[in-house]
Amino acid sequence: MATSFAEENYLKIIYRLSESTLEDISTNAVAELTQTKAASVTDMLRKLAEKGWVNYQKYQGVRLTNEGEKIALSIVRKHRLWEVFLVDKMGFNWDEVHDIAEQLEHIESEALINKLDEFLDFPKTDPHGDPIPNKEGILPELGYLHLSELKENKACILMGVAKDSAVFLQLLTRLNLSLGAKLSVKEINPFDRSISLSINENAPVFISHEVAKNILVKLTKD
């Protein structure tokens, strides 16, 4: 069954909201991300339910069906592969690619996407560290931690971000925080939980707890 751009966007948004909870997703949460009135969201959710892509009950929220999740993962796969292509092959910065990939993700050709995956040497993550589903829709297990979870005197490598807004990525760029950066937690302020952080063995800088909780890392030897 063919999907429209709008339907694909809704399925992807419901999937993203579902990643962080086992509860059904509220209409208001979908409306906030789509920047659409709740009544319009309700109409779309009913259409998606009629096609068998979501389970939806008024006032109880929405959840993807297996078929809906399959479609959503396909869109996520295309989006993240295009982001890798734009950064690695076209020279875009990591804060510039989201909106472009939003347009490219609706290309239907599965053969093209599989060729793109092969051309990029089957990347496991996108430029923001998000996992890329394979062609069967299976996500790689990454097991990253949030920087805010680490204790003092722990060393780690920056592997991704939990928030990929352009403003946040630009902030990280100004701080020289990029994927692969070597980090060391020097001190945690007990008042506001801000962190004194050494980046690539340079003099420590302070980052807020809000920034730290949106940085994903992998522990290394101290």
Side-chain angles (χ1 to χ4, degrees):
M1 189 183 300
T3 54
S4 68
F5 286 11
E7 289 168 341
E8 290 181 355
N9 286 335
Y10 269 82
L11 292 172
K12 186 179 69 172
I13 284 170
I14 295 167
Y15 172 77
R16 292 195 64 178
L17 290 169
S18 300
E19 286 183 296
S20 57
T21 180
L22 296 176
E23 302 295 325
D24 287 353
I25 306 304
S26 71
T27 301
N28 287 338
V30 178
E32 183 177 350
L33 283 188
T34 56
Q35 297 182 332
T36 307
K37 292 181 179 179
S40 299
V41 172
T42 298
D43 288 342
M44 175 59 80
L45 295 181
R46 286 173 177 161
K47 292 178 183 177
L48 296 177
E50 288 172 1
K51 293 186 175 183
W53 295 335
V54 302
N55 290 317
Y56 171 67
Q57 291 186 351
K58 195 173 182 179
Y59 307 121
Q60 295 187 28
V62 63
R63 173 70 50 179
L64 293 174
T65 62
N66 290 338
E67 183 61 26
E69 184 176 84
K70 181 180 177 181
I71 296 170
L73 283 167
S74 173
I75 301 160
V76 168
R77 167 176 161 79
K78 289 186 283 186
H79 183 101
R80 293 176 180 174
L81 284 172
W82 283 121
E83 287 192 332
V84 175
F85 174 78
L86 291 166
V87 170
D88 289 0
K89 305 302 181 182
M90 300 295 290
F92 284 90
N93 295 324
W94 67 341
D95 60 290
E96 299 176 318
V97 296
H98 178 76
D99 288 345
I100 304 172
E102 286 277 306
Q103 301 170 53
L104 294 169
E105 71 186 24
H106 298 293
I107 294 174
E108 293 184 12
S109 174
E110 186 176 339
L112 172 62
I113 299 305
N114 289 338
K115 285 288 187 183
L116 177 64
D117 193 14
E118 182 181 1
F119 176 67
L120 297 171
D121 198 23
F122 307 103
K124 300 295 185 187
T125 59
D126 72 8
H128 313 115
D130 292 319
I132 299 175
N134 64 17
K135 62 183 180 181
E136 285 80 31
I138 299 171
L139 288 160
E141 292 288 339
L142 300 179
Y144 298 155
L145 300 171
H146 295 268
L147 180 59
S148 56
E149 299 177 68
L150 269 58
K151 299 183 182 299
E152 291 180 350
N153 301 315
K154 289 294 183 180
C156 59
I157 296 175
L158 198 160
M159 301 301 295
V161 292
K163 179 181 292 186
D164 60 3
S165 69
V167 172
F168 181 63
L169 297 174
Q170 289 162 8
L171 170 63
L172 297 188
T173 298
R174 289 197 297 272
L175 293 170
N176 293 319
L177 284 165
S178 58
L179 296 192
K182 297 178 181 178
L183 311 179
S184 180
V185 177
K186 299 300 183 183
E187 181 184 352
I188 301 174
N189 188 304
F191 175 70
D192 62 3
R193 299 167 70 191
S194 60
I195 294 176
S196 174
L197 186 71
S198 173
I199 305 167
N200 292 324
E201 301 181 351
N202 292 313
V205 297
F206 273 96
I207 65 169
S208 69
H209 177 73
E210 184 67 22
V211 169
K213 76 178 186 180
N214 283 294
I215 293 175
L216 303 176
V217 299
K218 178 176 68 176
L219 285 173
T220 61
K221 293 181 180 180
D222 297 343

